[in-house]
């Protein structure tokens, strides 16, 4: 189905409010999940609704929390996310980093124990909108999925990295990527009969490179939701030893340095740690050439002769902007199982059908 963003947002806001989020937080969680779906990162968007509602129900993530300061100086903030909703504590941490970098020129923010932060590029976009460069390294305590290079056992999560650089034209460079070769959501889709992942995206327990999702989820069990904790194999990083090194860096920076706990197996809470660095170009730009140099260099990169003229050469961030524009205009495509899981989440928090129908008024997009 195709659905417009606004009625979907009305429904999700009501769902998160009924799940226990204060109204402003319900709106914020909805905003960021919808934005992830609009930008084409479906695995980090509204598909997460049911999981978030269940995490709130089970006490794994706590609505209504705010960051608590552990240490505060001119250029450093250490913050405890207190297992609050990532869409609250993540933007709060970014706002602190942005304010400090504007004042001091540079800021480092360590965020511990954050509920799932979703799309990490959101924080690079927040900083870029304020004219700041930023770098973000993230790990995921409790979500052990990915093998290190040369290994056939899990040691990392999908540990994302984001880097943002502002541009004059308001279309910033936003590199935002998992260090796993493919997102776990894509392995799930393949497991359910959808598009296969590439061979080498997964490794079996005996070290064979494969694309068989059962190495992640274990043998098929009818009626049981696929759980990546059941498989004996692992996902693999992108870029062989290089991606593996970057994934390890995420745990060293976000797990060890930020103090959020390294990625390891847990039967309970899953939380993100994030180490973010914010830089004010105004302080570095002694020659007043930064904005021009960024503009000219990006233009030159994009002018490379394209292999596929229809696709052109893009910079990180372009694809998300184009997808969001298209989905805002045409509606958001939602597979049936995602839609049903959203309706199921609504029923879990007690929204009845007439209420859902009234929230969805005008939802049809096509
Ligand atoms: P992806 O592979 O879709 O994109 C990675 C980067 O490549 C993006 O910056 C994108 O703009 C760029 N890109 C894509 N196509 C391009 C092209 N043709 N030319 C140039 N650049 C291009 O992203 P992903 O690795 O699947 O990550 C998905 C999302 O999952 C990210 O938002 C990430 O932050 C998020 N994530 C979050 C967690 C968490 O624990 N919170 C964990 C893992 C991933």
């Amino acid at each position: 189905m195709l659905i417009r963003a606004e009625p979907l947002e009305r429904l999700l806001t009501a769902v998160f409010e009924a799940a226990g989020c204060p109204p402003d937080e319900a709106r914020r969680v909805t905003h960021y999940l919808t934005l992830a779906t609009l930008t084409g990162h479906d695995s980090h968007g509204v598909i997460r609704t049911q999981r978030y509602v269940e995490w709130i129900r089970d006490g794994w993530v706590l609505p209504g929390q705010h960051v608590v300061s552990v240490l505060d100086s001119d250029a450093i903030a250490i913050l405890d996310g207190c297992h609050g909703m990532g869409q609250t504590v993540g933007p709060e941490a970014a706002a602190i980093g942005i304010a400090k970098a504007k004042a001091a020129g540079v800021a480092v923010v360590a965020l511990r124990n954050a509920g799932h932060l979703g799309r990490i590029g959101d924080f690079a976009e927040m900083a870029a909108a304020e004219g700041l460069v930023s770098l973000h390294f993230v790990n995921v305590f409790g979500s052990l999925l990915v093998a290190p290079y040369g290994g056939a056992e899990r040691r990392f999560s999908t540990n994302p990295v984001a880097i943002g650089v502002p541009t004059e034209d308001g279309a910033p460079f936003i590199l935002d990527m998992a260090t796993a070769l493919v997102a776990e959501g894509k392995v799930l889709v393949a497991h359910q009969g959808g598009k296969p992942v590439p061979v080498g995206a997964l490794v079996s327990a005996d070290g064979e490179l494969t694309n068989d999702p059962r190495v992640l989820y274990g043998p098929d069990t009818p009626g049981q939701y696929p759980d990546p904790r059941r498989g004996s194999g692992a996902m693999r990083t992108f870029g062989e030893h290089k991606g593996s090194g970057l994934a390890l860096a995420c745990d060293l920076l976000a797990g060890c340095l930020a103090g959020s706990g390294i990625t390891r197996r847990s039967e309970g809470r899953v939380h993100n740690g994030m180490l973010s660095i914010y830089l004010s170009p105004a302080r570095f730009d002694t020659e007043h050439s930064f904005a021009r140099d960024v503009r000219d260099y990006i233009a030159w990169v994009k002018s490379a002769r394209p292999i596929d003229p229809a696709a052109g050469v893009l910079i990180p961030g372009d694809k998300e902007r184009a997808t969001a524009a298209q989905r805002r205009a045409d509606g958001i495509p939602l597979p049936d199982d995602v839609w049903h899981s959203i309706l199921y989440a609504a029923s879990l928090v007690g929204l009845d059908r007439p209420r859902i129908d009234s929230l969805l008024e005008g939802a049809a997009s096509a």
Side-chain angles (χ1 to χ4, degrees):
M1 66 183 284
L2 275 178
I3 186 165
R4 295 210 170 277
E6 297 76 15
L8 183 61
E9 288 184 310
R10 280 200 300 273
L11 174 60
L12 295 196
T13 301
V15 168
F16 286 116
E17 212 176 316
C21 294
D24 58 335
E25 181 165 75
R27 277 193 297 276
R28 202 161 41 242
V29 174
T30 297
H31 165 76
Y32 282 111
L33 289 186
T34 310
L35 187 60
T37 299
L38 279 168
T39 54
H41 290 291
D42 297 350
S43 60
H44 284 70
V46 299
I47 195 175
R48 299 263 169 175
T49 306
Q50 182 186 337
R51 205 180 281 184
Y52 279 19
V53 164
E54 289 171 344
W55 283 349
I56 294 171
R57 179 197 63 195
D58 297 341
W60 288 8
V61 65
L62 307 173
Q65 301 295 308
H66 297 281
V67 290
V68 169
S69 174
V70 178
L71 181 147
D72 186 63
S73 73
D74 287 352
I76 299 176
I78 301 177
L79 302 167
D80 194 329
C82 304
H83 306 287
M85 301 299 291
Q87 291 72 16
T88 294
V89 297
E92 284 178 354
I96 289 170
I98 289 167
K100 284 189 184 299
K102 282 184 168 177
V106 59
V108 181
V109 178
L111 174 62
R112 304 170 175 171
N113 306 323
H116 187 247
L117 290 166
R119 183 178 163 253
I120 305 307
D122 289 331
F123 312 119
E125 281 175 0
M126 272 179 76
E130 297 290 331
L132 300 178
V133 169
S134 67
L135 302 88
H136 311 263
F137 301 89
V138 174
N139 84 331
V140 203
F141 173 92
S143 167
L144 197 59
L145 295 170
V146 180
Y149 182 68
E153 268 188 295
R154 307 178 189 193
R155 290 293 181 270
F156 311 134
S157 190
T158 52
N159 292 2
V161 173
I163 301 176
V165 177
T167 58
E168 284 178 331
D169 65 0
F173 167 94
I174 303 288
L175 177 65
D176 174 26
M177 55 178 216
T179 47
L181 182 63
V182 298
E184 194 241 311
K186 289 187 181 140
V187 189
L188 183 61
V189 168
H191 184 68
Q192 290 168 334
K195 190 178 168 197
V197 297
V199 174
L202 299 163
V203 58
S204 70
D206 55 12
E208 189 191 340
L209 302 192
T210 176
N211 67 349
D212 182 351
R214 284 173 301 185
V215 306
L216 193 65
Y217 297 110
D220 296 330
T221 316
Q224 207 167 37
Y225 192 74
D227 182 343
R229 284 173 298 191
R230 287 199 208 104
S232 57
M235 299 172 67
R236 293 183 73 238
T237 62
F238 80 95
E240 305 294 344
H241 54 290
K242 302 179 191 185
S244 181
L246 199 51
L248 174 55
C250 284
D251 258 292
L252 297 177
L253 297 176
C256 301
L257 185 63
S260 196
I262 52 151
T263 296
R264 64 179 172 80
R265 199 178 292 277
S266 141
E267 291 307 317
R269 271 188 177 135
V270 172
H271 65 244
N272 276 142
M274 177 163 73
L275 186 89
S276 300
I277 300 165
Y278 298 87
L279 304 163
S280 170
R283 301 296 185 93
F284 292 80
D285 194 12
T286 53
E287 309 306 310
H288 305 292
S289 59
F290 177 73
R292 188 185 63 234
D293 288 350
V294 166
R295 180 194 65 207
D296 291 352
Y297 185 57
I298 287 176
W300 191 54
V301 167
K302 288 177 128 178
S303 73
R305 189 170 57 256
I307 295 169
D308 173 2
V313 174
L314 307 177
I315 63 157
D318 281 346
K319 198 170 163 198
E320 285 78 4
R321 285 186 279 272
T323 306
Q326 189 220 324
R327 290 185 171 186
R328 280 206 168 91
D330 300 344
I332 295 173
L334 282 188
D336 283 349
D337 56 340
V338 174
W339 179 237
H340 288 129
S341 85
I342 291 172
L343 294 179
Y344 175 69
S347 72
L348 277 182
V349 296
L351 299 191
D352 60 18
R353 195 65 221 200
R355 171 106 165 96
I356 293 172
D357 289 342
S358 76
L359 290 162
L360 286 173
E361 217 173 326
S365 172

